[in-house]
C-alpha cells in the first residue's frame, strides 16, 4: 500500500474510540479521516479528550451527516454500543461496498444465530452474521486478511482463548473453568459503587455469576478449534479487582487424557514461537503489569501432577490487546501491512 | 469464668501477634499477661507498634526467660514461624500441663503425618499431631471447646472450606477448583517486587502454581466432612491483587449429582442460619470490603444451569477471620465464653 | 450519669450518620433511640448498611414524624446537609428545650455573621449562632462541657488548628500557608470523575483554588487563640489524593519573631502532653495511616533554620477525628463522661 | 543531521536508564549504541527488563570495558548514582572530547560550589561545574543547544520552576512556599516501609522536613530568573502519596507588589504560549493523571483576592518530564533536531 489508508472511527468520543485514535495517530500507514459522535457532533475531539489538542484531527460528526461517497474511506472501526451496530454497518456497506469494517461491539462475535439469541435476544441482521470473521488475530489470521467485516473479540475471550488454544487444537479439553480478573477500566465509564475509589479501591468483587455474556463466544471458538468440533460447556466467572488496566484469565482444564509437562511445553512452544504478540513464559505466569499498554498476551501453562489438570494463564491489557490494539493488529492484516506496524 | 483469663502471646512483635494483642485489649474477659519476642526482648510493645502506647502491657520477653510456673497462664497464642512451634509447645506443656494453646502456624493443621511430610518435610513431634484440633470454628465447634491444642486454620482454607462445607457434608463434591485472590498483606511483612506499590499496585499476580501448601489442609478437611470420607484432589490456585486486606475464594464444584437452586439454597441456609459469623447472601456474592476488619465470612452459592456446576464464594478479611479474630473466637469456645465476646 | 443517655442521629443514612451509629454502638454509656432519614423512612438501618444487621436499632424515621415529647432524647447528632440545620435545630429545641445538640454541618461553625454571609450567604437564624460552641475539643473543652449546641468542626480545620494552636496561642503567627491533602472519602458519596478509581486512582488533584469554605472557620479560630485577637488571612488549599480515609495538613508559618527548636519543642509539649488524643512526635511527622480509624491527631512541628519558618503537620482520619469520633468526644464532655469513653 | 546520532546510556539497568532506552527506541533520529551496567555486564538488556526482548540492543557492558575511541558516540546519558558522575564524565571527555553529555544525577545541577558543598559535601571536580548548563529546557533553551554538558534537572525543581518562572522573571516573588507531592516511583527501586503497598497504599507521608536537597537547585534558578538576581530562601516540602507516577508542585507566592488576575493571566500566557510542552490551563489546575507518560507540564496560576498571594501549580510525570523525556528534549536541542522529535 503506497498512500496512507483512510480510516474512520464511529463512536470516537467513548473510551475505546479515543484509545483507537491514539493508536492510529502513532501508525505510519494510516490517516484518520472521520470521527463520529452523535452527541458531541460539531466539536473538536480535543474538547472531549484534551490530550488530542496537538494533533490535526477531523471534527466530530453526527453519523447521519457523513458523506460516505465523498470520503471514500478504506476502513471504519465501529466502537458503538452493543446492539446498534448491525444496522449501521448494513447501511454504510450500501454506500461504499468496498469499505472494510472492524466492529468492536459484541454484535458479530457469535456466528450461531441460536446462541446469539439465547444470550442477547434476536439478531436484527442474521444474514450479515456469516460474513463476519472472528478477529482473534492469532486464531484466524488468514480469514481476517481477506475479510470485509471483522468482529473484534471481547477482552475476556482474548485472554482465555490464547491461554487455551493449544489444548483445544489438540482436542485435549474435557472440561474447563475460567476464573477471570480485570481492572476497573473494564467496567467502563460508569459512575457508581463498582467504580468509586472508596468502594472499589480495597475490594475484590465477583460479578454476573453464572450469567456472563462472554461464555458463548468462548464456547463457539473452542468448538472451532477442537479437531472434532466438540461443544463444551465453559464455566466462566469474572471479577473486578482494584487496578485500572489489566486482565488475567486463569484457566483450569480437565484433560481428555494425561498430559505431561514436556508434551505441554512443546505444544505451547509450537503454537506460539512464531507469534509476534504472544510471549510464552517458561517458569511462572506473568502479572498483568508486564503487558500494560502493549498488544502482548503473556501465556503460561503447567501440568499439575497432583490433580492431573492443566492450568493455563493469559495476561493482557484489557484496553489494548483486549480491545483497541488488537483492532489495529487486524487492520494491519486486512491491508497486507506488517502485523506489528504501529504497535511497538 | 469469674476472673479474667490470663493470656500469653508468643511472637508478639510480628503482624499476627500485634493484631491479636489489639483484639485481646478489646476483649472483656481476658488479660494480656505475657508477650514474647526474642529479638526485641526487654523493650515495651509500644516501641515496635506505637499505637499500643496508651495501654498497660507487659514488656516483650525472650521465650527462654519466661517463668511459666509463676505466670500460671490460662492460654497462649503461638504466632511463631512455621516449623518452630512443635518444640515450643511441647516444652511449655511440660511446665504447665493445664495451659491451653492456640497455634497460628501451619505446624498442627494437618493430622495425617504422611500428608504433612509430603508438603512440609518430617514432623518433629508426630505424637502431638493427634492431640491438636483443627480450629475452623464453624466446623469443629465441640471438639475445639474441649481441646488442649487448637491449630488455627490458614486464611485460604478458612474462606474455601466455609464456602464448600455444606456441599462436602452432603457428599456432593466430585471435583473442585478453588481460585483464591488475596490482598498484599497476605504476603506478610516482606519487602520486594511482590509488595512494592509501583509493582504490586497495578498488578494481578498468580503465585505458587500447582504447589500451594494449603492444598493438603483443604483436602483433609473436605474428606472429614464427606459422609464417606472420600479423598479428593483439590485444584487450588492463589493470586495477589492490589489491596491491603481481604480475601476471596471462588470455588467451582462439579457435583456428584444434579443440584437445583432450591435444594442448594436450603442446604446453605440450614448450615449457616445459626452461625453468628457466617452471613449467607441471597442474590449475589459479596466483595471483601464488606467484611474488612470483622470476623465474618460472607458466603454465596449458585447453581449454574448452563454448566451444571455449583459456584460458591467465601469472602473474609485474611488478617481477621483468616487469622487473628478466628483465634479469639476459638479462645471463647475453649473458655466457655459467648462465642462473640470481644468480636463485635 | 447512671442510666444510658438516649441519643438520636438525624440523617442516619449518610456516611457520617452511619459512622456515628457504629461508634455509638461501641459506647458503654449511650443508647441509640432515634434514627432519621427522610427518603428511607420506614426501613431498617440494615437495609441501607448491611453491617448493622446483627444490632438492635430503631427503624429509620422521617424527621417530621418524630414524637419528640415521647422520646425524651438527651442529645441529637445532626448529620444533615449544610444549610438545612438551623431550622431543624430551632424546631426541636422548641419541643425539648433540655436536649443537647452536636451539629456536624457547617451551619454553626462560624460565629461572626458577616464572615458566614461572605462565604455561605445569609444565615437564617443568626440569633442561634452565638449559642453554639465550636467543638474542636482540645481548644474549647470547658465551654463544650456546658454547651447546649456544639458545632462540630470540619475535618480540615481540625487537622490545621491542632497543628497551629500552640503557635497561635503564643501570638507567633505572622502569616500561614496550609496545604491540605485528603483521601477520596472526603469527596463524600459522590459518583463522578473525582471518585472513579480509573481517574482518581493514579491522580493528585487540587480543588477549590483560592475559594475554600473552611478558610473563615480557621481564621476565626486562630484569631480567638491569638492573645491580641489579631485577624490573619489564611492561605488554605485542598488536594484529593488516591486513598480512602486520611488527611494531612502541612502548615508553613512565618513567625512574628525568631523561634528556636528548643522553644518550639517546649511550646508543643506543654500544649499537648496532657491531651489524650493528640500525639506529639519528636523526630519526624506521621503519615495518616498511623491514625486511621482512631480519634488521634498526630502533630509534628519543626523550625527550619534555612528559612526561619516553622513547619507544622497535623495528621488525622478525616471520617473519625475529622468528623464522627470528635462528635462522640464532645458528647462525652457534654455528659461529664470520661473523654475517652467509647473511643479506644 | 543526516545519519542517526549514536547514543550511549551509562547506568542502563536502573529505572531511569530503562525509561531512557524506551524513549530512544521510539526516536526517529537516534541509535542506541552503548548500554553500560557494571553488575549486569555481559547480559542482554532483556534479561533485566523483559519488555526489551523484541528490540535489537547492544549488550550491557562494564563501564571500564568500553572502547570509547572505537564507538565514537555522539552523546551519552549518565544515569549513575549521585556523587559518582563527576569522575566518569571527566574521564570520558578525555577519550572523546567532542562527545556531548546529558547527566541525570544531581552532580552538576548546582553552579555555586559553596551551595553544593553545604548540601552535598565537597565537589570532586569544581572546574567542570561551570561548564555544565542547567537543563530545564524551557528556561535555558539557547545555552542547552550549545552545551557540552547538560545537567538534567530534578523532578521537583522542574515542576516548581515551570510553575514559578513567569513570576520570577518579573521580579515578583518576595517569598515562596512549595508543597510538592509525588507518587511512590519517586522513592525509586527501594524496598521498605515507604514503598510497601500495605504501608504506602493508604498513606500520605511528608519526608525530609526542612532538609530537602532540591532546595538549593530551586533557589539558584529563581535567583537567575529574577531581574535583580535577588536570592530567596525557598520553603520546600516533599510528600509521598499512594500512586505510581505523577508529581504536583503547589506554590504559594507572597508577591513584591499586588498582582491582579488579568496581569497574571497575561504574564503566563506570554511565557508559555509558544512552548510545545507547557500547557497553561485557564480555569482550574490539572491533576497529574492528565500528563502521565508525556513530556508535558501543565501549569495553572491564580491570584487569591482574599490573601493577596499568587498560587501556582505545576503537574508533571516525575519519570518523564521530571527525568527521562526532558533528557531527550535536551538531546533534540543539542543536535538541532525539532524539539518534539520522539516525544509525541
Amino acid at each position: 500500500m503506497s498512500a496512507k489508508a483512510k480510516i474512520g472511527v464511529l463512536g470516537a468520543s467513548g473510551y475505546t474510540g479515543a484509545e483507537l485514535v491514539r493508536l492510529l495517530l502513532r501508525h505510519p500507514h494510516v490517516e484518520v479521516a472521520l470521527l463520529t459522535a452523535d452527541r458531541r457532533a460539531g466539536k473538536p475531539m480535543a474538547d472531549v479528550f484534551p490530550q488530542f489538542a496537538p494533533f490535526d484531527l477531523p471534527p466530530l460528526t453526527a453519523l447521519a451527516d457523513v458523506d460516505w461517497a465523498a470520503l471514500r474511506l478504506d476502513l471504519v472501526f465501529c466502537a458503538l454500543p452493543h446492539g446498534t451496530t448491525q444496522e449501521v454497518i448494513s447501511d454504510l456497506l450500501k454506500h461504499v461496498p468496498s469499505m472494510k469494517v472492524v466492529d468492536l461491539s459484541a454484535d458479530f462475535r457469535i456466528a450461531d444465530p441460536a446462541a446469539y439469541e439465547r444470550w442477547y435476544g434476536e439478531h436484527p441482521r442474521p444474514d450479515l452474521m456469516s460474513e463476519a470473521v472472528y478477529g482473534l488475530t492469532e486464531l484466524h489470521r488468514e480469514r481476517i486478511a481477506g475479510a470485509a467485516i471483522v468482529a473484534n473479540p471481547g477482552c475476556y475471550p482474548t485472554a482465555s482463548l490464547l491461554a487455551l488454544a493449544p489444548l483445544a487444537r489438540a482436542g485435549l479439553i474435557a472440561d474447563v473453568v475460567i476464573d477471570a480478573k480485570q481492572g476497573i477500566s473494564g467496567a467502563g465509564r460508569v459512575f457508581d459503587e463498582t467504580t468509586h475509589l472508596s468502594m472499589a479501591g480495597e475490594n475484590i468483587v465477583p460479578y454476573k455469576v453464572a450469567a456472563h455474556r462472554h461464555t458463548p463466544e468462548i464456547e463457539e471458538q473452542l468448538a472451532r478449534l477442537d479437531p472434532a468440533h466438540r461443544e463444551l460447556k465453559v464455566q466462566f466467572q469474572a471479577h473486578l479487582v482494584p487496578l485500572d488496566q489489566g486482565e488475567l484469565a486463569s484457566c483450569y482444564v480437565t484433560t481428555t487424557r494425561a498430559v505431561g509437562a514436556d508434551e505441554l511445553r512443546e505444544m505451547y512452544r509450537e503454537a506460539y514461537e512464531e507469534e509476534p504478540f504472544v510471549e510464552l513464559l517458561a517458569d511462572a505466569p506473568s502479572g498483568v503489569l508486564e503487558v500494560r499498554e502493549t498488544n502482548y498476551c503473556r501465556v503460561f501453562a503447567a501440568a499439575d501432577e497432583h490433580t492431573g489438570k492443566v492450568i493455563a494463564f493469559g495476561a493482557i491489557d484489557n484496553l489494548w490487546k483486549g480491545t483497541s490494539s488488537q483492532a489495529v493488529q487486524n487492520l494491519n492484516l486486512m491491508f497486507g501491512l506488517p502485523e506489528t506496524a504501529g504497535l511497538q
Side-chain angles (χ1 to χ4, degrees), chain A:
Chain A
M1 217 159 131
S2 55
K4 288 191 172 189
K6 291 180 73 177
I7 310 292
V9 177
L10 312 190
S13 67
Y15 271 6
T16 300
E19 200 74 46
L20 272 171
V21 173
R22 209 167 292 128
L23 286 164
L24 295 173
L25 282 169
R26 288 168 41 175
H27 197 294
H29 304 304
V30 307
E31 174 200 342
V32 178
L34 171 69
L35 299 174
T36 81
D38 284 2
R39 281 183 307 178
R40 309 284 191 139
K43 298 199 172 160
M45 186 72 172
D47 263 27
V48 189
F49 299 99
Q51 69 265 39
F52 291 115
F55 301 100
D56 190 27
L57 284 170
L60 295 168
T61 307
L63 197 53
D65 297 342
V66 178
D67 182 349
W68 297 103
L71 269 173
R72 299 174 56 90
L73 299 178
D74 295 297
L75 182 146
V76 294
F77 291 105
C78 288
L80 299 170
H82 299 309
T84 67
T85 311
Q86 298 98 337
E87 292 300 336
V88 170
I89 292 182
S90 167
D91 269 10
L92 61 87
L93 289 181
K94 273 182 220 149
H95 290 105
V96 194
S98 68
M99 185 159 46
K100 293 168 188 286
V101 176
V102 176
D103 181 29
L104 289 98
S105 81
D107 293 1
F108 291 98
R109 290 177 187 158
I110 297 175
D112 175 16
Y116 185 93
E117 194 170 337
R118 195 160 53 242
W119 294 84
Y120 290 95
E122 199 183 344
H123 197 288
R125 292 296 306 270
D127 55 309
L128 283 175
M129 290 177 82
S130 56
E131 285 192 31
V133 171
Y134 188 71
L136 211 166
T137 326
E138 285 75 12
L139 302 189
H140 302 292
R141 190 169 272 122
E142 287 178 30
R143 292 178 60 228
I144 292 166
I149 305 176
V150 166
N152 217 56
C155 56
Y156 283 130
T158 295
S160 304
L161 290 167
L162 288 173
L164 292 171
L167 290 167
R169 278 207 202 98
L172 282 168
I173 305 181
D175 188 53
V176 60
V177 168
I178 304 172
D179 184 293
K181 303 99 185 148
Q182 190 178 217
I184 302 299
S185 64
R189 206 177 157 78
V190 166
F191 299 103
D192 61 14
E193 283 85 355
T194 59
T195 61
H196 190 290
L197 189 140
S198 295
M199 291 161 247
E202 288 280 310
N203 216 344
I204 308 171
V205 184
Y207 66 102
K208 290 191 192 155
V209 175
H212 205 287
R213 287 181 164 188
H214 282 139
T215 308
E217 188 180 336
I218 299 172
E219 290 178 348
E220 193 170 88
Q221 293 297 320
L222 289 180
R224 287 196 182 190
L225 292 166
D226 186 87
H229 300 304
R230 288 176 306 124
E231 296 195 352
L232 288 167
K233 301 289 188 194
V234 167
Q235 188 72 47
F236 178 86
Q237 178 59 45
H239 302 75
L240 285 181
V241 292
L243 63 159
D244 180 10
Q245 288 167 246
E247 180 178 306
L248 180 78
S250 309
C251 307
Y252 306 93
V253 179
T254 306
T255 50
T256 51
R257 61 167 175 79
V259 180
D262 290 345
E263 180 186 2
L264 192 70
R265 193 179 311 114
E266 187 57 20
M267 190 185 305
Y268 274 76
R269 193 190 57 71
E270 269 185 39
Y272 291 134
E273 69 183 341
E274 303 288 329
E275 284 298 337
F277 289 117
V278 180
E279 290 184 88
L280 191 60
L281 301 190
D283 301 320
S286 174
V288 300
L289 187 60
E290 289 85 345
V291 292
R292 186 160 181 156
E293 303 204 343
T294 78
N295 191 50
Y296 287 93
C297 178
R298 289 194 154 195
V299 170
F300 175 75
D304 188 334
E305 285 183 33
H306 179 66
T307 63
K309 288 196 170 65
V310 169
I311 321 172
F313 300 88
I316 61 170
D317 185 320
N318 51 311
L319 300 184
W320 282 61
K321 177 66 177 172
T323 308
S324 303
S325 67
Q326 180 157 252
V328 173
Q329 191 182 0
N330 288 329
L331 169 152
N332 287 339
L333 278 180
M334 294 163 89
F335 288 148
L337 296 166
E339 198 170 315
T340 58
L343 290 174
Q344 260 173 345

